[in-house]
Each structure stands twice: as C-alpha cells, then as structure tokens.
Amino acid sequence: MANKRKKFLLIWIITAVICLYLLLKYVSPQVFQVLMAKDHPMPTPSTLMMWYMIMGVLAGLVYATTSNQKFADFLGFLLPDSGSTIKILLQKLLFVGFPVLVGWFIYSWSIPGAASPVELRIQHPTLPQEFEKLDNPFRQTDAETQRRCIEEGKILFQTYCRPCHGSKADGNGPFANSFRLRPINFQDPGTIATVVDNYLFWRIKEGGPGLPSEATPWDSAMPSWKDDLKDDEIWKIIMGEYDTAGVMPRQREKVE
Amino acid sequence: MTTDRRTINIMIKAFKSVLVGLGLIVATLSIFSTQGRAFAQTSQLFRTYKHEVPQKLPETADAIADGKKVYEKRCWYCHGIEGRGDGPASKTMFPKPRNFTRNEYKVRSTAFGSVPTDEDLFRIITSGIEGTAMPFWITISETERWQVIYYIKTFNEQFKKESAPKVISAGSVASTPESVKRGQELFKETKCFECHGEDGRGNGPLTVALQTEWNMPYRARDLSKAWNFKGGNTIEDVYRTISTGFNETPMGSYLEKLSDEDRWHVTHFVKSLSKDMVSDVVVKVKLIEGEQLPTEPQDENWNKATPVELPLAGQILTAPRHWTPTIDAIMVRALYNKDEIAFLVEWDDSTNKQEEIFRDAISLQFPTKIPESLKKPYFAMGDSSGAVNLWSWKAHWHEGFGQIVEAPEQEPGVVSELNAKGFKSITTQPPESQNITGKGIYQNGRWKVLFKRTLKTEDAKGDIQFEIGKLIPIAFAVWDGSNSDFGGQKSVSSWYYISLEKPVPKTVFVYVLIAVVMGASVELWFVARLRRFPPKLEEEE
C-alpha cells in the first residue's frame, strides 16, 4: 500500500494543487461570506490567488525533493510500467493533458479580452479655503433652539436627501442602486464623523460639480444645492443629518 | 557518472518547476482577466424579504409609550405625526407612505380587509419594501421594532376589535411545466391580465384606464421585474399575495375565487414571468462579420448580443427635479459591423399614450470624444469643459395641447442628434450633421427602440467616433409621458461603458498550434530523457 502511494507521488501533488485551486476559487468565497456576514460571496482577489497558487506549487516541489527517495518516486511515475492499468491511464492523460494545457494558456492569453474600466478617485478632497472659516450659526445656540434646528434639518433631510442617502442616512435610499458612485453611508464611522460641519456645508452647497478633478466630479450624483437651499437650511440639514446617522462631527482642535 | 546524473536531475527539477510556475501564473492571470463582471446582480443590489420573526414582546402601555418615542424619532417624517401618511417628506415620494389610520396594509398573511398580524408588521419593518421609500430597519433593535408596531396599531381601531388568523395553507404544489401552463390559463380566466397585462408588465387595460382617465394612484405590479415584488419574490411570498390580496387596492384576494392548488399554479406562472436584473458596467458590442445590422427592433440577430440591464433613478441633480420616476430599468444591447453600429434599448412602460409635450422618449449620451484620461464630461448632460453627443428618440407627436392619444404600435417615432455642454446649453445639430437613424416599437407594455449610425462621421467635433477595443462612456435618460416626464424630469443613469469587441485574429490559432507542438516536444524530450536515465538512488549504486 505504502509502495503504491509512493508510485503516485506526482499525481498526488498535482491533485493537491488542483484542490488548492478549487478551495481558493469556490470554497473560500462562501466561507468569507459567512465569516464577514455579507449577503454575497467574497471572491478571492486574483493577485492573492496567483501567489497562493505559486506557493502551493513550490510547496509540492519542495515536498517532492525532501529526499532522494521521494524525488525518484516523483519522477518515477513517468517510467513505463505495464503492471498497473490505472497508472498507464493516468500517464496517457498527463501526456495528452500537458500540451493541451499549454495550448489553452496561450489561447486565453492571446485572445483580445474586454478592457475593464479603471476608476480611481479620492474620497476626501481637501476643503477649499473659503469654506474653512465658516461656522455653523446654530451650534452655539441654547439647547431648545438646537433641538428645533435638528428637527427642521431632519425634515429637510428626509425630503431632499432621503431619495439617495436613505431615511436612515445609510446610503440606501430608493435611488441609491442607480448611481454607480453610490451615495455615502453617513452611519459609517469613516465618513461624516471624520469631518467638521464646514466640510458638509461645502459638499451640500457645491455638490458633485464642485469637486476637484481628483475626486471625479463627472461621476458624482451629488447635486449642487446652492440655488435651491438657503445657507441656514443647509446648516440645519447638517445638524439633522448627524442626528439621523447617530454620529458626531469631528471637533476642531482648540488653538491657544 | 554519478555527478553527471545528479546535475541532470537538478536541471530537470529546476526546469520543471519553472515551467509549472510560469504555466500557473499565465493560467491565473488569464482566468481572472476574462472575469470582468464588476457589477452586482439583482440578488446583491436589492434587498430580500426576511421571513424570520423573533419572540414577541408583551404589548404593554409602557411598550406603546416607548414605541411612540421611536415613531417620533424615525417614522413620522414620512408617515405623519398622526399616522396619516402625510409626513413632510411624503411629497417627494411615490408610492405614498401608508396611512396607518386606514387599513391600507398590503403585505399580510390574513384575509382581505383584515388587519395584519404583528409578525407581518415585523417582517415589513425589518425588510423594507423595494421600489419604495420604506427602508429596512435592521438598524433599530428588535425591542424597538416591537414597540413601534404596538404604537402604530393604536392609530387604527380595527386592531383592537379583531385579531385575524392566518389564512394561507402550509402546503405547496411543485413548479412543473404543466403547472406553469395551467397557471397561464388561470391568469387569463381569472382576468389577472386586465390589470397586469398579457406579458405581466403592468400594462393591462384596466390599469391604464384607472391611471390615465381616473388619475388613480394604482399601478399594477410589473411582474417581469423580480426586484420590485412587494413583500418578497419567493414562491411562498407570491402565493401569499395572490391568496390575501392588497388591502385598499384593486389587487384582491383570490382565496375564494381560486382553489388552493390553482393559486399555486398561478404563483408558478407569475414566477416564470419574473426576471432578475443582470447588470454589468461594460456593454459588449458584438461584431457581426459580413452581415447587415438589424433594421428592425424585433430582428432575431439581436439575440446574438449580450443584454445588460441598468438601474435608473430620477433626475435629482438640478431643478426641476424628478422624485417619482416610473421607469426604473433599461436593457441595452449593441452590434456592429465594419461600417456601422446599432443599439437596441428596451424598457417597460405601462402605456403608449402621448401628448403634445408629454411624450415617451429616450436619449443615449456619449462624450463627443473618447476620453484619453480618467476625465469624462459630467454624467448628466456634460459640462463646460466636456461636451456630450446625444442621440434622441421621441415617440409619436401630434398637435393639440392637453390631448392624450394612444399612439399607433408601428409608429417609428422621431430621432435627432444633439450636443450639450450642461443642462442649459443644448443644441440640435444642423440637418446636414444628422446621421443617426432609429425606430421605436411599442408592444405589450414594452418599448423597443433601435438606433443606428456609421462608426465614423464627417462631424468629428460634435459626433462620437467609435473605435474598436476602446472603452467608450455611455449614459441614458428615459421619459415616460404618462408620468408627466418632460425636459429635466426624466429617469437617468450613471456613466457606463460600451466596448466594441475585437475580433479574434487568425494568428491566435497559429500561436496555439506552435505552443501545443512545443509543449509536446518538450514533454517527449523530458520523458525520453527520463526513461533513458531513470532516477536511481545512491544507495542502490
């Protein structure tokens, strides 16, 4: 039995490599779907997959060369052997399979593939200077006025921002699917929680068309609200937006 | 001699490792370069109806009081402070939010006209309703969800008077071709088509009459769009809807009109009509070698191209904004030959009624030049630094403001070519630069519009010049005349791309042949060498 296994060392290593491929390609996306609680499979990134496969092959070769005995067994598979029909069958398969595989690599490599678009963008461009000095006039008022402003802001938010950013400010409004540059999820701690009120004021007032070119203004569906909303309304929307999302704006550092 | 053999062994080893390694690199690269699907399918884009319901909370006065707080923090903006569905945000919505003082509940497991169970309400609050403004409230705790349910129930006295039992059976009939066929017969016999239309696109004569002549807010569901089914699109969900109906809508309960088995048959037929949205970022334009491109929207050759379906949103970028669009998806396919390119765009529209101003229309948008860098014109009609080329098609035109007419099915419509540099600077190209041809056909609740042009034109400044293999941005806008769509009030898409597929050059097959021959010779040499000098262990020698 042990002798038989040794005779098939080459086949075992090839099988192991194929298993590794199947594992990375089909099993791991499902496992990561469960682990990361996503509602869709998480495919292994292609470069990662390539490196894992290279390492897998090298591991197989390292294993095959750990001793002279193993290496002799490894190559010995290709020697003629009239004793075992399975072995002869596998040998034939290997002899035919290798050139076919090489041909297939060359074919899939040289057919013209469809290009995939590259869309790079900077999510948080720098706040323009003219917006840096502004101050939200309602942040310094008494508690009662603030409460009223938040409520008025929430009503405006639900009327004008909700169709894209959603009732919960989670970027899941009814129009959200239709914009490839998806509306921002304000509940995400990496979004509005990392900026000051002024930043939002700039974004709401100038919208997508006001973005610098590194932030791909041509793809942004954020409207520019400067013609339709008054400054006071925008400041209130910002207060309502933070409240709806359940996050706080970044606090300015005190300059002594 | 021993040293020699060892050297050969090492050489063979090294050679083989390199070969296998290279092969694998090529394999992984090639496999992944062919999988360019970067965009999700329906199951990923749209939410699903969640059936699981946790243990109920006791319905106490405290729970109701806490529910009021939740309601007045999150729900009232749409549903109104008194639950009348008239909250301040409801003006930018269609369908309108539910009025809790009436029994308008749609997704129920109880008889028609009855109030829903607490569990039904829990499922809707948890799942939301796709195609409407109702979000999925998984972000608030289960306790809060139960509390708000108890508060919502206080708006309607009917909840106090009755606690309706579930009415639907637990059994089911398997989906077979016979069952689907029987369902189709029942769909006719029971007059489902009068509202939902013969192909289920929500274009039945009754729907059209209620909508256009009576101005009723009812729209029969477009059964071909699986993502828009209220209360889920699994067979159990569809069966439940057919059985219990939607309160206060023309969708009644078929509990008594159809036997349990027949309702399953209809369910299977409805399921056979519904399709997922299969989307992609790049529309591949297929080469039709040595053949004429189709001149009719129904041409069979269109089946050679892979269709891509894209979601659309209302135009909300600038006033007049469109908060309540009716066209939420468009299907595109394209073909080309050595001279011309043709597009077929299809979308569902429940009527073919046109007015002088409010007409069904579509517009394809390209940049005037293929972008060399990442920079593109603004996706909505371009901007001052990036002009766009618009291909417009409009349905039947007749004079007479306010007169709505049913346009003839075979009316081809009017095509024109325009340029824009932003919303406010749109110009129609002069007659000598109008190079596109086009034709629209309306059948069974669906528009099919064909556009055709030569790949290159004389007007290189105003017209997009198509090039094989390049990514060319494309965007869409659709108008539904019966929804008062006009001008800026339209459904729009983001930028997508088209790519004219490169033909596979004949030389590829020569390369493959050479590779196979080379692979085989290397293999033969290797095996022959191995068999002549079989690996021997030193101990044996």
Side-chain angles (χ1 to χ4, degrees):
Chain A
M1 186 63 204
N3 189 33
K4 200 178 173 194
R5 250 194 80 161
K6 271 186 208 152
K7 279 207 298 194
F8 284 90
L9 189 59
L10 178 63
I11 295 297
W12 283 115
I13 288 174
I14 291 175
T15 315
V17 168
I18 293 172
C19 283
L20 178 66
Y21 176 78
L22 296 176
L23 195 75
L24 291 172
K25 176 94 186 174
Y26 299 105
V27 181
S28 130
Q30 305 295 332
V31 170
F32 277 95
Q33 176 180 4
V34 175
L35 283 182
M36 299 176 80
K38 300 273 178 183
D39 49 4
H40 54 84
M42 304 280 288
T44 317
S46 58
T47 38
L48 199 63
M49 185 131 171
M50 188 181 86
W51 285 112
Y52 279 146
M53 289 309 296
I54 290 172
M55 281 197 278
V57 171
L58 290 178
L61 292 173
V62 165
Y63 176 74
T65 49
T66 40
S67 73
N68 287 341
Q69 172 69 51
K70 283 217 179 71
F71 192 58
D73 288 339
F74 179 70
L75 290 177
F77 180 79
L78 298 170
L79 295 177
D81 184 350
S82 55
S84 156
T85 38
I86 289 193
K87 187 171 168 180
I88 291 168
L89 203 72
L90 284 170
Q91 276 180 347
K92 282 182 178 161
L93 204 70
L94 210 60
F95 292 156
V96 177
F98 179 71
V100 169
L101 206 64
V102 171
W104 185 73
F105 287 153
I106 297 297
Y107 175 75
S108 48
W109 205 22
S110 49
I111 51 163
S116 8
V118 183
E119 287 166 335
L120 299 168
R121 81 186 287 269
I122 287 173
Q123 184 104 31
H124 280 288
T126 322
L127 180 65
Q129 236 168 9
E130 66 260 41
F131 287 92
E132 243 170 57
K133 302 258 152 55
L134 301 173
D135 245 330
N136 189 339
F138 305 114
R139 286 279 185 210
Q140 307 307 326
T141 54
D142 59 280
E144 176 54 27
T145 320
Q146 282 207 33
R147 202 195 52 77
R148 204 168 36 82
C149 288
I150 289 176
E151 203 50 39
E152 282 173 35
K154 279 172 88 173
I155 291 173
L156 289 165
F157 180 87
Q158 294 291 341
T159 310
Y160 299 115
C161 317
R162 174 203 56 79
C164 299
H165 293 287
S167 302
K168 299 178 287 176
D170 62 350
N172 276 324
F175 290 165
N177 281 334
S178 311
F179 296 116
R180 286 214 295 119
L181 203 57
R182 221 181 150 79
I184 301 287
N185 170 4
F186 299 135
Q187 292 185 0
D188 181 335
T191 62
I192 57 170
T194 65
V195 293
V196 291
D197 276 1
N198 305 32
Y199 196 92
L200 270 66
F201 185 80
W202 169 50
R203 297 286 56 271
I204 296 171
K205 209 169 161 76
E206 301 293 333
L211 285 169
S213 62
E214 66 268 23
T216 66
W218 44 85
D219 283 329
S220 168
M222 179 69 197
S224 153
W225 289 98
K226 60 183 168 199
D227 299 334
D228 306 278
L229 293 172
K230 296 184 205 81
D231 285 3
D232 277 5
E233 288 178 315
I234 296 178
W235 289 121
K236 285 176 186 166
I237 286 179
I238 293 167
M239 294 173 81
E241 180 180 328
Y242 277 109
D243 191 77
T244 309
V247 293
M248 296 294 282
R250 203 189 81 198
Q251 296 305 306
R252 281 170 182 279
E253 289 94 33
K254 292 251 162 44
V255 184
E256 294 295 320
Chain B
M1 190 64 198
T2 325
T3 345
D4 260 8
R5 199 159 295 158
R6 206 179 284 159
T7 327
I8 288 168
N9 274 352
I10 290 166
M11 269 171 62
I12 291 169
K13 211 177 357 174
F15 180 71
K16 185 130 191 182
S17 335
V18 168
L19 208 69
V20 174
L22 272 178
L24 277 161
I25 292 170
V26 174
T28 34
L29 281 180
S30 62
I31 285 163
F32 282 90
S33 64
T34 49
Q35 292 189 340
R37 186 171 290 276
F39 206 63
Q41 298 197 352
T42 316
S43 49
Q44 283 166 256
L45 268 181
F46 300 97
R47 55 193 111 140
T48 48
Y49 185 68
K50 303 210 168 43
H51 291 88
E52 310 79 45
V53 177
Q55 187 60 41
K56 231 159 115 171
L57 211 72
E59 190 170 352
T60 59
D62 281 350
I64 293 174
D66 286 338
K68 185 172 195 287
K69 281 184 207 143
V70 177
Y71 186 86
E72 288 176 4
K73 186 171 161 56
R74 308 192 187 266
C75 316
W76 83 274
Y77 302 97
C78 303
H79 291 287
I81 201 83
E82 291 171 327
R84 294 182 188 282
D86 58 355
S90 65
K91 66 179 178 190
T92 50
M93 284 176 196
F94 185 89
K96 293 287 175 205
R98 284 290 76 84
N99 178 348
F100 296 132
T101 64
R102 297 177 69 128
N103 181 3
E104 289 181 345
Y105 294 101
K106 291 188 171 173
V107 185
R108 307 174 331 274
S109 56
T110 58
F112 192 64
S114 303
V115 288
T117 64
D118 295 351
E119 285 78 11
D120 289 337
L121 293 172
F122 190 93
R123 287 189 196 100
I124 275 297
I125 291 175
T126 308
S127 320
I129 304 177
E130 196 55 70
T132 78
M134 179 67 189
F136 49 106
W137 287 104
I138 48 170
T139 35
I140 63 171
S141 72
E142 285 168 2
T143 312
E144 283 179 302
R145 277 176 258 170
W146 285 119
Q147 288 164 344
V148 83
I149 286 168
Y150 300 147
Y151 180 64
I152 287 167
K153 283 165 72 182
T154 62
F155 289 124
N156 190 336
E157 290 293 306
Q158 212 179 330
F159 279 105
K160 291 202 188 101
K161 287 184 211 137
E162 57 171 305
S163 65
K166 283 189 171 192
V167 293
I168 48 175
S169 86
S172 73
V173 173
S175 176
T176 56
E178 294 77 43
S179 171
V180 171
K181 197 162 168 277
R182 180 74 191 121
Q184 186 170 19
E185 287 161 19
L186 289 163
F187 195 78
K188 273 218 179 79
E189 283 168 26
T190 337
K191 304 209 160 110
C192 303
F193 72 93
E194 287 205 337
C195 291
H196 290 286
E198 274 169 41
D199 292 349
R201 294 211 180 89
N203 61 318
L206 212 55
T207 303
V208 175
L210 285 176
Q211 202 179 306
T212 55
E213 281 154 44
W214 291 82
N215 199 21
M216 295 254 194
Y218 305 124
R219 291 200 183 115
R221 187 55 44 217
D222 183 337
L223 302 175
S224 68
K225 294 176 177 174
W227 60 91
N228 272 345
F229 279 39
K230 284 196 164 74
N233 61 14
T234 65
I235 54 166
E236 289 79 16
D237 296 328
V238 177
Y239 168 82
R240 182 199 59 232
T241 300
I242 295 172
S243 303
T244 66
F246 287 158
N247 285 353
E248 294 204 9
T249 75
M251 176 68 201
S253 157
Y254 289 83
L255 200 61
E256 272 139 39
K257 288 175 203 137
L258 291 173
S259 71
D260 189 46
E261 200 188 318
D262 283 350
R263 273 179 276 134
W264 282 111
H265 293 318
V266 177
T267 300
H268 294 316
F269 174 64
V270 168
K271 275 298 279 181
S272 77
L273 294 174
S274 75
K275 301 278 177 302
D276 269 1
M277 183 186 286
V278 179
S279 203
D280 205 335
V281 177
V282 181
V283 179
K284 293 186 180 92
V285 187
K286 188 139 183 86
L287 174 65
I288 300 282
E289 258 167 313
E291 268 183 75
Q292 288 297 309
L293 294 184
T295 51
E296 292 294 327
Q298 311 98 311
D299 198 308
E300 278 187 2
N301 275 330
W302 285 114
N303 294 329
K304 291 179 183 166
T306 316
V308 170
E309 200 161 19
L310 313 171
L312 302 178
Q315 189 283 114
I316 40 89
L317 297 151
T318 188
R321 295 187 169 84
H322 197 10
W323 305 108
T324 55
T326 43
I327 315 292
D328 69 344
I330 185 170
M331 191 185 264
V332 195
R333 52 186 119 202
L335 296 167
Y336 82 102
N337 63 17
K338 65 183 196 327
D339 304 313
E340 291 180 309
I341 184 164
F343 293 87
L344 181 71
V345 277
E346 298 171 57
W347 71 97
D348 289 2
D349 182 342
S350 58
T351 72
N352 181 14
K353 299 210 170 187
Q354 314 296 339
E355 198 259 7
E356 185 179 325
I357 289 176
F358 301 112
R359 294 150 74 188
D360 293 342
I362 181 164
S363 158
L364 270 54
Q365 174 183 290
F366 304 95
T368 48
K369 246 194 210 93
I370 301 175
E372 295 297 329
S373 60
L374 284 176
K375 188 181 169 355
K376 288 176 279 203
Y378 187 41
F379 81 98
M381 310 281 281
D383 50 41
S384 54
S385 66
V388 292
N389 184 201
L390 300 166
W391 297 10
S392 148
W393 171 92
K394 283 182 175 168
H396 172 85
W397 185 84
H398 68 279
E399 206 170 324
F401 189 71
Q403 277 177 32
I404 299 164
V405 300
E406 177 100 37
E409 255 186 23
Q410 297 293 326
E411 159 89 42
V414 188
V415 286
S416 58
E417 216 177 327
L418 303 95
N419 282 106
K421 278 188 153 200
F423 301 105
K424 283 166 189 148
S425 86
I426 308 167
T427 46
T428 308
Q429 293 189 355
E432 65 273 16
S433 296
Q434 295 284 343
N435 337 75
I436 54 167
T437 55
K439 184 174 190 178
I441 275 182
Y442 183 81
Q443 266 175 345
N444 287 340
R446 193 166 176 85
W447 274 113
K448 288 187 176 192
V449 177
L450 175 150
F451 287 96
K452 199 150 96 170
R453 210 203 69 184
T454 51
L455 292 173
K456 311 269 170 191
T457 65
E458 309 261 298
D459 181 11
K461 219 175 151 213
D463 291 348
I464 174 81
Q465 307 296 318
F466 295 98
E467 285 178 49
I468 294 164
K470 284 208 175 162
L471 284 168
I472 304 167
I474 187 170
F476 302 86
V478 185
W479 290 261
D480 177 8
S482 58
N483 188 40
S484 318
D485 289 7
F486 171 71
Q489 299 215 297
K490 58 188 175 182
S491 297
V492 295
S493 82
S494 303
W495 276 126
Y496 286 82
Y497 298 91
I498 58 163
S499 169
L500 278 65
E501 279 185 349
K502 281 183 191 162
V504 177
K506 298 277 187 296
T507 48
V508 167
F509 299 103
V510 179
Y511 294 148
V512 170
L513 200 70
I514 293 172
V516 171
V517 170
M518 273 173 67
S521 357
V522 168
E523 185 185 55
L524 280 175
W525 170 80
F526 180 77
V527 173
R529 184 94 196 156
L530 192 72
R531 288 187 177 182
R532 223 168 116 203
F533 309 105
K536 284 214 173 66
L537 294 173
E538 281 169 47
E539 290 89 332
E540 285 176 41
E541 289 178 27

